[in-house]
Amino acid sequence: DGGITQSPKYLFRKEGQNVTLSCEQNLNHDAMYWYRQDPGQGLRLIYYSQIVNDFQKGDIAEGYSVSREKKESFPLTVTSAQKNPTAFYLCASGRTGKSMVNTEAFFGQGTRLTVV
Amino acid sequence: GQQLNQSPQSMFIQEGEDVSMNCTSSSIFNTWLWYKQDPGEGPVLLIALYKAGELTSNGRLTAQFGITRKDSFLNISASIPSDVGIYFCAGHRGSRLTFGEGTQLTVNP
């Protein structure tokens, strides 16, 4: 089945530990995105990537890192520098159409990270 | 970051009523997208808009890409209980995808 897979669905970590969230897509999409969602809030952009080996900071990149070594994969590391890491993390991927204009974007099911 | 102002923040309606929500921005966007999110799930794409002035329907949903490219609206006709959820607008500017804050819709049977 084609789609975007985020794993795990729930993740618990101790404060001070780095943790990596997985995002894999088999839709042959060029663009991939990571968002953070807090209770009752909208989606805030952490990082995004248009092509392999290239990515840009979003609005709240501090305390996070990413890599894009393969087109299919865009893992997000939540580092110990992130002050409030407990949140719902959403990964998305999307096509690039004519003139490199991004078109639709589709989401995974999310990972709920709880840091204790 | 770029701002998308989505309104209203919440709506409480009776089953069968029509609903309208909108997003505005001070920036021009190349694409407008509308999503619905159920609790604990990822947002699901409802409608994608690519051209200024474009009006697109998906069943009971209709959305328009504003002529200035700075706004979009979503209408839901004849609402049903399963329309409950959070609706988000999103806009592409370059390779960056920015979201509005969402509209929480409650439908009373």
Side-chain angles (χ1 to χ4, degrees):
Chain A
D1 287 346
I4 304 166
T5 302
Q6 288 188 246
S7 61
K9 179 75 171 174
Y10 299 94
L11 191 55
F12 295 86
R13 278 295 182 268
K14 290 185 177 179
E15 192 173 346
Q17 288 182 337
N18 292 356
V19 58
T20 298
L21 281 59
S22 169
C23 179
E24 304 278 332
Q25 54 98 359
N26 58 7
L27 301 167
N28 199 32
H29 286 169
D30 291 306
M32 296 189 75
Y33 314 82
W34 273 106
Y35 294 88
R36 169 183 173 136
Q37 187 175 33
D38 293 288
Q41 304 292 315
L43 280 67
R44 292 186 290 168
L45 183 62
I46 306 173
Y47 270 98
Y48 59 107
S49 169
Q50 189 72 5
I51 58 173
V52 173
N53 292 323
D54 189 43
F55 47 82
Q56 285 77 43
K57 293 182 179 180
D59 298 317
I60 55 165
E62 185 174 351
Y64 300 98
S65 66
V66 293
S67 62
R68 187 85 189 274
E69 297 177 0
K70 299 186 300 181
K71 189 175 185 178
E72 301 80 17
S73 179
F74 192 40
L76 174 74
T77 297
V78 184
T79 75
S80 56
Q82 169 51 233
K83 301 300 181 190
N84 297 296
T86 294
F88 190 44
Y89 290 89
L90 288 157
C91 177
S93 71
R95 295 186 301 113
T96 301
K98 293 180 181 179
S99 303
M100 296 299 290
V101 172
N102 285 29
T103 58
E104 306 99 337
F106 301 93
F107 281 85
Q109 291 210 318
T111 293
R112 187 165 299 281
L113 173 65
T114 302
V115 176
V116 297
Chain B
Q2 297 157 13
Q3 297 288 328
L4 281 183
N5 301 307
Q6 186 170 349
S7 64
Q9 278 189 311
S10 61
M11 301 183 74
F12 298 85
I13 63 170
Q14 293 297 124
E15 183 176 357
E17 290 184 356
D18 297 343
V19 171
S20 184
M21 59 192 78
N22 68 84
C23 272
T24 61
S25 175
S26 56
S27 302
I28 290 174
F29 288 92
N30 300 318
T31 306
W32 282 95
L33 308 172
W34 284 93
Y35 291 86
K36 178 175 183 266
Q37 185 181 32
D38 292 323
E41 301 293 329
V44 174
L45 181 65
L46 299 173
I47 291 181
L49 302 158
Y50 302 110
K51 295 180 183 178
E54 179 181 357
L55 185 71
T56 297
S57 293
N58 178 9
R60 295 179 294 107
L61 279 61
T62 301
Q64 185 159 30
F65 192 144
I67 197 72
T68 64
R69 297 171 63 193
K70 295 182 179 181
D71 63 320
S72 177
F73 72 75
L74 174 70
N75 287 342
I76 305 173
S77 63
S79 59
I80 59 178
S82 60
D83 289 335
V84 166
I86 304 176
Y87 291 80
F88 290 101
C89 63
H92 265 128
R93 182 177 167 82
S95 55
R96 182 187 182 103
L97 182 60
T98 301
F99 279 75
E101 301 245 333
T103 296
Q104 171 74 60
L105 178 63
T106 302
V107 180
N108 296 315

